[in-house]
Amino acid sequence: MTAEKDETKNTDNLADSLGKESFHHFCMVIQQIAETRGSLAKARLFASYIKTLSHNRSIQLAAQFAGEGAFSNVSGRRVSAGHRTVAVAAASFCEIDYDLVFKACRTATGSASETIEKLMENLPAAISKRKPSLRSLEEAELLFSHLEKERTRDGKHQLLQQIWSEMTSLEIKYFIRIMGQGSLRIGFESKSIINALATAFAKEPEEVRYAHMITGSLASTAKLCKEDRLEEARFQLFQPIAFMLASPIESRSIEDISAYIAEEKFDGMRCQLHANSQNVKLFSRDLNDITNSFPDLAANYKTKNLPDTVLDGEICVFKSDKIQPFQLLQKRMGLKKPSSVIIAKHPVIFIAYDLLYYSGKALFDHTLQTRRQHLHKLAESFSISVSKQFPVADTSDVERLFDRALAFGNEGLMLKHKQSTYEYGQRRKSWLKVKKPGGSLDTVIMYAHAGSGKRGGTYSDFTLGISVKADERYEEEFIPIGKAYGGYTDEELKKLNRAMKPLIVDRFGPTYSLKPGIVVEIEFDDIQINKRTKAGYTLRFPRFKAIRWDLSPADADTLKDVEQLYSQKLNRQIESQQRHQSFITY
C-alpha cells in the first residue's frame, strides 16, 4: 500500500468523528462527481451529499466551494495567490526545481493543480512532510481567510506549505482550485449546483435559479433553500446578478428569424453598471468589482445623478469619436489604480444595450422590447450611449448586417429575440452570436489529455504546438499555442486515439506526451497578447477545423506566422474603426 493510500485510509477512519461535514469528504464527493458522466447524474450525487450535511454553514460552504470558490462572488474577497505563487510554493515543498522540473510536469499534464496532486502523492519528500488531519468545511473557510489576509508572497508560501502539511493530495488539488475562484473544472457548473439544491430541498429549479440570480451567491441560495425562505430573495443595488449569455448561432436552429433584432457585437468588455445618485459601481462578467480600473467612467456616471439603475452593456476604448481595438482596452483591465497618463491615453465609454433595474423596479421578466423602450427613455433623460438595433426579415438581412459589422471593425453580430426576458446566467437561443473565425493555423499535437464525463476513457483534450525550430529565441522545435477539445466527430476521435499510440513518449498521470507526428488545423476567434505564455500569445476559443492527415510536422505554422496574423488583425481593426459608430449618444 502506498503512503498516499495510507494517509487516505487514516483520514477516512477519522471521518466518523466529524461525520460528512469534513473538507476531506467534500473533496471525495467532488472527485466522484468529476468521474461521473452526465450533468443529471452529477447533480444527483451532489444533492445526495447535501442531504447528509446537518449544519447550515456546511451546506452553504459546500455549494460555495463547488461553484464559486473560497469566497462568494458578491463578497469582493479574493485569496489573491497567483498561479506562480502556488506553483513555486509547491516546488519548494516537494524539493524540486521549479523551472527544470515543475514547469515541465505542468506542461505535460496541462493543469497546475493536477501536477501538484501527482507530485504530492509520489515524491518521498512531499509524502514525509504531510500528516493529514481532518478539518471541517468551516475550518477550511478559515484557512482561505488566513491566506486572504497574508499580503506578502513569502508569507503566502509559508502558509500554503503549513496548510498542505496537514492535507491529502486530493484535498490539496481541490484546495488550490477553490482558491482560484470559479469553476472546479469537473463539468459541474452553477446551473447543475442549482438543480442539485432544488433536488435536495424539494424546490422548483426555477425558484432556486431566481434566488441565485437575485442574491448572486450560491451560499445564500443554499441557506434560503434549507430554511424554506426562497420567496424572501430580494434584489439589492450594487450586488451584481448573473449575466444573460449568448449561444453560437451554429448550435441553435431558428424557426422565425424575423422574431429577432440585430446589434453589432462590440470589441469591448461586458459590464454591468449599478448606479444611484450617490454611487456607481462596475462589475465584470465574472461578477468582480472593476470600478477602480475605470474611475473616469464611474465619475462620469456619478455626475448624471441617476435613480436606482442597473445597465448591461460594454466598455470600449473610445478616442477621436471612434471605438478602438480591444487590445488597447486590455491596457486598462486589471489595473487597481490607472494613472492619469493611462486614462488620458485610453479613455473609455460605456455603451448600454439593456436595462435590468430602474427606479425601484426589476425589469428581468419584461420582454427585450419593453426593456429597450425604458432604456431609450432613460438614455434621453440622462445622456447615456445606447447600442443601435437593426430589424431582420430573413437570412439575407443577417448576412448583410454581419458583413457590415465586420467591415466596420466589430466582432460580428448579435441576434436577440424581441420577446425574450432577461435569462440571467443562461445560454439559450434567445441571444445568438454570429461570428467568423479570427483565423486558422496548422499545428502539431504535443500532449493528449484524458477526457472526463461522456468522453471518459478516451484522450479528447489536446495541447497544440507551433514550430520554432528556425527561431533563434527558442531551443525547442515546437511550443504550445493553445488547447482544443472540440470540432471533431466521434469517428475522428477514435482514429486520432489509435494514431497517437506509436507516438507516445511518456505518460504523466492522465496525460500523454507525444512525438510530433499529427497535424491539426485549428481555427480560433481571436489572437491576444499574453506574456505569461511561452509563445507570448493566447488564442481565444481554439477548436479543431480539420485533422490534416496529409501534412507532416514540417508543414506546421510558426510563431512568426502567429505574430504576422496578430499584426494584420490589429491593422485591420485600426483602419476599420475609423469609419463607423454603432451606437447612439443622447
Side-chain angles (χ1 to χ4, degrees):
M1 181 178 287
T2 66
E4 176 64 20
K5 289 180 179 177
D6 280 334
E7 70 181 22
T8 301
K9 181 180 178 182
N10 292 337
T11 308
D12 288 342
N13 290 338
L14 290 171
D16 292 337
S17 63
L18 193 56
K20 304 296 185 181
E21 318 282 330
S22 70
F23 182 68
H24 174 72
H25 187 70
F26 168 83
C27 292
M28 290 179 66
V29 170
I30 292 298
Q31 184 61 30
Q32 188 179 0
I33 290 172
E35 296 168 357
T36 299
R37 296 186 181 189
S39 57
L40 291 178
K42 290 173 185 281
R44 284 194 296 268
L45 265 175
F46 196 69
S48 298
Y49 164 64
I50 288 290
K51 288 179 182 179
T52 68
L53 302 178
S54 56
H55 302 303
N56 275 16
R57 190 56 185 159
S58 294
I59 294 170
Q60 294 174 54
L61 289 174
Q64 180 178 297
F65 288 169
E68 292 180 319
F71 307 109
S72 169
N73 285 336
V74 298
S75 68
R77 301 175 66 189
R78 296 292 182 271
V79 171
S80 298
H83 293 299
R84 182 178 172 86
T85 298
V86 174
V88 170
S92 174
F93 189 91
C94 296
E95 298 181 15
I96 59 174
D97 186 275
Y98 170 74
D99 289 305
L100 297 178
V101 181
F102 182 87
K103 288 173 71 174
C105 294
R106 181 184 60 196
T107 299
T109 63
S111 166
S113 59
E114 284 190 15
T115 297
I116 294 170
E117 177 192 27
K118 299 301 179 187
L119 293 172
M120 290 287 182
E121 72 180 30
N122 287 295
L123 294 184
I127 294 171
S128 65
K129 292 178 182 177
R130 291 184 297 111
K131 294 182 180 179
S133 60
L134 280 182
R135 52 176 54 81
S136 67
L137 289 168
E138 291 183 63
E139 289 171 327
E141 179 189 30
L142 189 60
L143 295 178
F144 291 123
S145 294
H146 291 332
L147 277 167
E148 177 199 23
K149 293 172 184 176
E150 179 55 60
R151 297 302 177 190
T152 68
R153 177 173 290 181
D154 286 344
K156 287 186 186 294
H157 278 192
Q158 293 176 17
L159 188 51
L160 282 170
Q161 292 180 354
Q162 178 184 336
I163 291 168
W164 293 341
S165 69
E166 298 180 356
M167 285 185 169
T168 66
S169 60
L170 182 68
E171 288 177 292
I172 291 170
K173 176 173 73 173
Y174 286 115
F175 187 85
I176 291 169
R177 292 191 182 183
I178 293 167
M179 281 171 53
Q181 293 292 124
S183 170
L184 295 182
R185 306 192 303 282
I186 59 171
F188 190 60
E189 310 298 330
S190 294
K191 181 180 178 181
S192 295
I193 296 170
I194 287 167
N195 289 336
L197 291 174
T199 299
F201 298 107
K203 304 296 182 186
E204 288 296 326
E206 187 58 31
E207 292 179 2
V208 181
R209 192 169 73 85
Y210 186 82
H212 177 237
M213 187 276 290
I214 291 295
T215 63
S217 162
L218 283 170
S220 297
T221 302
K223 186 173 189 291
L224 291 171
C225 284
K226 171 67 174 174
E227 297 175 357
D228 197 22
R229 296 189 297 111
L230 281 175
E231 73 282 353
E232 295 180 20
R234 294 288 184 273
F235 173 79
Q236 295 182 38
L237 198 64
F238 306 115
Q239 181 173 288
I241 64 173
F243 286 74
M244 185 166 178
L245 305 175
S247 297
I249 194 168
E250 296 85 1
S251 68
R252 297 289 188 271
S253 59
I254 302 176
E255 296 174 0
D256 181 12
I257 196 71
S258 65
Y260 289 78
I261 198 82
E263 293 178 13
E264 293 187 9
K265 193 175 188 303
F266 301 116
D267 196 15
M269 176 186 185
R270 188 85 177 270
C271 175
Q272 200 174 105
L273 187 151
H274 292 230
N276 62 14
S277 57
Q278 288 83 37
N279 199 7
V280 173
K281 282 190 177 294
L282 309 172
F283 298 96
S284 62
R285 196 168 114 167
D286 55 4
L287 307 185
N288 286 325
D289 187 338
I290 56 172
T291 312
N292 289 340
S293 296
F294 304 99
D296 47 336
L297 183 57
N300 177 33
Y301 268 78
K302 194 169 183 179
T303 64
K304 296 181 186 297
N305 200 33
L306 285 162
D308 291 0
T309 301
V310 177
L311 295 166
D312 186 4
E314 203 91 4
I315 297 176
C316 300
V317 172
F318 189 68
K319 195 171 185 179
S320 302
D321 293 327
K322 305 174 188 72
I323 295 176
Q324 303 298 317
F326 179 76
Q327 284 70 25
L328 300 182
L329 181 64
Q330 284 182 304
K331 298 180 183 299
R332 298 218 26 195
M333 292 165 60
L335 296 178
K336 293 182 179 179
K337 190 176 181 181
S339 67
S340 57
V341 174
I342 289 289
I343 290 173
K345 190 174 181 180
H346 306 295
V348 295
I349 188 173
F350 177 80
I351 306 169
Y353 42 70
D354 217 328
L355 179 62
L356 311 184
Y357 189 84
Y358 178 61
S359 196
K361 294 181 180 179
L363 303 178
F364 318 123
D365 294 329
H366 292 239
T367 67
L368 175 65
Q369 282 185 319
T370 301
R371 299 198 307 272
R372 287 286 297 197
Q373 289 170 2
H374 287 298
L375 175 59
H376 282 291
K377 289 178 182 178
L378 178 73
E380 289 175 1
S381 300
F382 294 95
S383 300
I384 295 172
S385 298
V386 176
S387 61
K388 292 179 182 177
Q389 291 190 327
F390 307 91
V392 290
D394 51 38
T395 55
S396 64
D397 280 343
V398 175
E399 292 172 3
R400 175 179 56 81
L401 290 168
F402 177 69
D403 291 339
R404 178 181 186 271
L406 293 184
F408 290 145
N410 288 311
E411 283 192 328
L413 205 64
M414 293 292 299
L415 297 178
K416 298 182 178 180
H417 199 287
K418 290 179 277 191
Q419 298 303 313
S420 61
T421 58
Y422 195 83
E423 297 166 355
Y424 38 86
Q426 300 296 297
R427 197 183 293 277
R428 297 174 179 168
K429 65 177 182 179
S430 293
W431 284 13
L432 299 169
K433 53 187 175 184
V434 187
K435 295 180 68 177
K436 271 187 180 176
S440 66
L441 291 166
D442 289 331
T443 63
V444 299
I445 298 180
M446 297 180 66
Y447 300 98
H449 312 282
S452 59
K454 65 180 182 180
R455 285 182 177 158
T458 63
Y459 285 78
S460 56
D461 299 5
F462 304 95
T463 297
L464 302 156
I466 48 172
S467 175
V468 290
K469 57 187 175 185
D471 196 318
E472 295 180 355
R473 294 170 291 180
Y474 298 89
E475 296 180 0
E476 307 96 317
E477 290 191 358
F478 296 92
I479 59 172
I481 189 62
K483 288 184 71 174
Y485 45 86
Y488 40 70
T489 66
D490 289 343
E491 286 303 314
E492 286 176 324
L493 185 60
K494 289 177 183 177
K495 183 177 179 180
L496 198 56
N497 272 247
R498 290 194 297 268
M500 283 172 6
K501 289 183 179 179
L503 301 175
I504 295 172
V505 176
D506 207 344
R507 180 172 182 171
F508 309 88
T511 297
Y512 284 137
S513 170
L514 305 178
K515 291 187 295 186
I518 301 174
V519 177
V520 175
E521 182 182 0
I522 57 169
E523 64 181 11
F524 47 88
D525 285 357
D526 195 12
I527 303 177
Q528 297 175 348
I529 290 177
N530 186 345
K531 295 181 179 178
R532 292 179 296 177
T533 65
K534 196 153 197 174
Y537 294 89
T538 295
L539 302 181
R540 288 188 68 191
F541 306 118
R543 64 270 184 188
F544 278 45
K545 183 178 181 182
I547 304 171
R548 297 299 304 269
W549 302 108
D550 57 317
L551 299 182
S552 74
D555 298 308
D557 284 317
T558 68
L559 178 56
K560 291 184 178 179
D561 293 323
V562 174
E563 292 168 340
Q564 186 176 6
L565 281 172
Y566 177 81
S567 179
Q568 290 171 350
K569 182 202 76 164
L570 199 59
N571 289 336
R572 284 196 305 270
Q573 287 180 323
I574 293 171
E575 291 171 3
S576 59
Q577 292 289 9
Q578 294 175 353
R579 311 182 215 137
H580 179 59
Q581 182 171 300
S582 300
F583 61 92
I584 306 165
T585 299
Y586 288 93

